[in-house]
Short mmCIF file of all heavy atoms in Angstrom, two decimals:
data_model
loop_
_atom_site.label_atom_id
_atom_site.label_comp_id
_atom_site.label_asym_id
_atom_site.label_seq_id
_atom_site.Cartn_x
_atom_site.Cartn_y
_atom_site.Cartn_z
N PRO A 717 -8.48 -0.16 15.16
CA PRO A 717 -9.81 -0.37 15.76
C PRO A 717 -10.80 0.65 15.19
O PRO A 717 -10.41 1.70 14.68
CB PRO A 717 -9.55 -0.12 17.25
CG PRO A 717 -8.08 -0.31 17.44
CD PRO A 717 -7.45 0.13 16.16
N ILE A 772 -21.93 21.47 10.39
CA ILE A 772 -21.98 22.77 11.05
C ILE A 772 -20.64 23.47 10.86
O ILE A 772 -19.58 22.86 11.04
CB ILE A 772 -22.29 22.61 12.55
CG1 ILE A 772 -23.71 22.08 12.75
CG2 ILE A 772 -22.11 23.93 13.29
CD1 ILE A 772 -24.06 21.80 14.20
N ARG A 833 -6.85 -4.48 -7.06
CA ARG A 833 -7.00 -5.93 -7.03
C ARG A 833 -5.84 -6.63 -7.73
O ARG A 833 -5.46 -7.74 -7.36
CB ARG A 833 -8.33 -6.33 -7.68
CG ARG A 833 -9.54 -5.84 -6.93
CD ARG A 833 -10.84 -6.31 -7.55
NE ARG A 833 -11.97 -5.79 -6.82
CZ ARG A 833 -12.47 -6.33 -5.71
NH1 ARG A 833 -11.93 -7.45 -5.25
NH2 ARG A 833 -13.49 -5.80 -5.09
N ARG A 853 -4.53 -7.35 15.66
CA ARG A 853 -4.91 -8.44 16.57
C ARG A 853 -4.26 -8.28 17.93
O ARG A 853 -4.87 -8.54 18.97
CB ARG A 853 -4.52 -9.79 15.95
CG ARG A 853 -5.41 -10.23 14.79
CD ARG A 853 -5.17 -11.68 14.43
NE ARG A 853 -3.83 -11.89 13.91
CZ ARG A 853 -3.51 -11.82 12.62
NH1 ARG A 853 -4.45 -11.51 11.73
NH2 ARG A 853 -2.29 -12.05 12.21
#
Side-chain angles (χ1 to χ4, degrees):
I772 293 176
R833 295 183 182 277
R853 287 192 295 269

